């Protein structure tokens, strides 16, 4: 990996500013874990039977961004990015994907999510989570997506170490 260019979240600020900054920090963390790797290295899987790879994580997080921002706040029927049904696991199959394809989709979803968040008058903005059939707030969505990134960035640490050959070192 190259040097860490992430901007850390502020130590002071309002709730929205801090949630936004932590989300962007974790988004940047995922991108950083993939820096400097070839498509083949990004597709390298952890160990059988897992099919998890760094590229699969990027694809999965594109689905997470779409499912939790666009589908909740704009279009409950918006199609998923990588499957024709609500199948988050489909994104993990990056066997024929490229960095260019996966990152273009992920970055587009991130920008759409940022737009939706910026346009919301408050963190209390309600949206409809179609999978649950319930109303949720923008606050809850931002926190949920932040937790998704935190969990998956832990996987990305392990996957990057495997690619770099430093597991157990």
């Amino acid at each position: 990996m190259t040097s860490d260019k992430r901007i850390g979240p502020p130590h002071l600020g309002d709730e929205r500013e801090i949630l936004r900054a932590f989300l962007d920090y974790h988004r940047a963390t995922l991108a950083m874990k993939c820096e400097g790797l070839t498509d083949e290295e990004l597709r390298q899987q952890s160990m059988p039977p897992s099919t998890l790879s760094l590229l699969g994580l990027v694809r999965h997080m594109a689905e997470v961004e779409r499912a939790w921002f666009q589908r909740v706040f704009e279009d409950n029927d918006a199609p998923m990015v990588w499957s024709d049904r609500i199948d988050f696991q489909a994104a993990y199959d990056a066997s024929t994907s490229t960095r260019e394809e996966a990152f273009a989709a992920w970055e587009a979803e991130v920008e759409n999510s940022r737009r939706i968040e910026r346009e919301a008058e408050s963190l209390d903005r309600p949206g409809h989570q179609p999978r649950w059939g319930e109303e949720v707030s923008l606050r809850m969505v931002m926190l949920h997506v932040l937790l998704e990134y935190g969990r998956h960035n832990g996987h990305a640490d392990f996957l990057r170490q495997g690619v770099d050959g430093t597991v157990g070192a």
Side-chain angles (χ1 to χ4, degrees), residues 67-68 72-73 123-130 132-142 144:
W68 282 98
V72 168
F73 295 108
L123 291 174
D124 294 324
R125 176 185 176 185
H128 179 76
Q129 175 36 276
W132 297 349
E134 295 179 13
E135 296 296 303
V136 296
S137 69
L138 176 60
R139 175 183 293 103
M140 183 270 166
V141 167
M142 290 180 76
H144 179 83

Side-chain angles (χ1 to χ4, degrees), residues 30 57 60-61 92 147-157:
L30 181 58
L57 283 179
H60 175 71
M61 292 312 296
Y92 286 130
L147 293 171
E148 284 277 332
Y149 273 101
R151 180 167 62 101
H152 291 305
N153 281 337
H155 300 320
D157 283 337

Side-chain angles (χ1 to χ4, degrees), residues 74-153:
E74 291 188 335
D75 180 0
N76 292 157
D77 296 319
M80 298 300 283
V81 180
W82 307 109
S83 74
D84 56 0
R85 58 189 201 288
I86 308 302
D87 179 7
F88 285 87
Q89 300 304 311
Y92 286 130
D93 180 7
S95 58
T96 61
S97 188
T98 64
R99 169 192 291 275
E100 182 179 357
E101 171 196 43
F103 272 83
W106 176 60
E107 289 166 357
E109 294 305 322
V110 166
E111 285 309 311
N112 194 44
S113 297
R114 286 179 176 141
R115 178 191 55 77
I116 291 167
E117 182 271 321
R118 279 191 313 268
E119 291 174 357
E121 290 183 22
S122 91
L123 291 174
D124 294 324
R125 176 185 176 185
H128 179 76
Q129 175 36 276
R131 290 178 66 205
W132 297 349
E134 295 179 13
E135 296 296 303
V136 296
S137 69
L138 176 60
R139 175 183 293 103
M140 183 270 166
V141 167
M142 290 180 76
L143 185 57
H144 179 83
V145 174
L146 175 60
L147 293 171
E148 284 277 332
Y149 273 101
R151 180 167 62 101
H152 291 305
N153 281 337

